[in-house]
Amino acid sequence: MLHWFLAGRCCRASAVVVALLLTGGCSAGKPVVPVTGSVMVDGKPADGATILFFPKDDPAGVTASGAVDPDGKFALVSALEKGVAVGSYDVTVVWPDPSVQPTQQQIMMGNAEPGPDLLKGKYVVRGKSGLQAEITASTKELPAFELKTE
């Protein structure tokens, strides 16, 4: 999965762009709605986490993603468009340990790995994370994803 190689804010943003290009490159003609939300872990913001929305109705459809900021907030992006198509989604979250950073040499060699998932892989498997979302034409902000480390 692409989100395992996300490391640091710059690399994470670049990886999200690459992931979006690989998952379709366009929104397949479906209109998108701008949607925001938040990810909290044990009541605290999951700064640096990546959240992915996989369409349930179309397994090969465009995946939406967001990078979680220091306040726990994210905005979804689909195929380089701000927003996400209307539909039902399986949601995954990975939160690389920010204290484990790749070396400059690893980055230059293209084998930079993020730190271990602070959520221990609990929310990383599509369809098994227990996280879902329903996006309608009027959705603007999703309820917070309240995750637990235990």
Side-chain angles (χ1 to χ4, degrees), residues 53-131:
F53 284 60
F54 298 94
K56 285 184 175 185
D57 303 337
D58 183 6
V62 176
T63 301
S65 64
V68 181
D69 72 16
D71 295 324
K73 303 286 185 188
F74 66 86
L76 290 174
V77 177
S78 300
L80 305 178
E81 291 184 68
K82 291 181 182 180
V84 61
V86 170
S88 297
Y89 291 86
D90 285 320
V91 178
T92 65
V93 178
V94 64
W95 190 19
D97 185 342
S99 69
V100 180
Q101 295 294 318
T103 66
Q104 193 66 2
Q105 182 180 8
Q106 289 170 319
I107 293 170
M108 298 289 285
M109 298 290 290
N111 60 1
E113 293 287 330
D117 184 9
L118 293 172
L119 301 169
K120 299 179 176 104
K122 185 176 180 180
Y123 302 100
V124 77
V125 179
R126 177 182 184 175
K128 295 185 180 183
S129 68
L131 306 175

Side-chain angles (χ1 to χ4, degrees), residues 43-57:
K44 297 178 181 171
D47 181 20
T50 299
I51 189 163
L52 297 171
F53 284 60
F54 298 94
K56 285 184 175 185
D57 303 337

Side-chain angles (χ1 to χ4, degrees), residues 1 3 5 8 18 27 38 40 48-49 65 69 72 79 99-101 118 122 129 133-134 138 141-142 147 150:
M1 293 184 180
H3 55 281
F5 71 87
V18 170
S27 61
S38 62
M40 307 298 282
S65 64
D69 72 16
S99 69
V100 180
Q101 295 294 318
L118 293 172
K122 185 176 180 180
S129 68
E134 186 70 33
S138 62
E141 184 167 358
L142 295 167
L147 311 181
E150 297 301 319

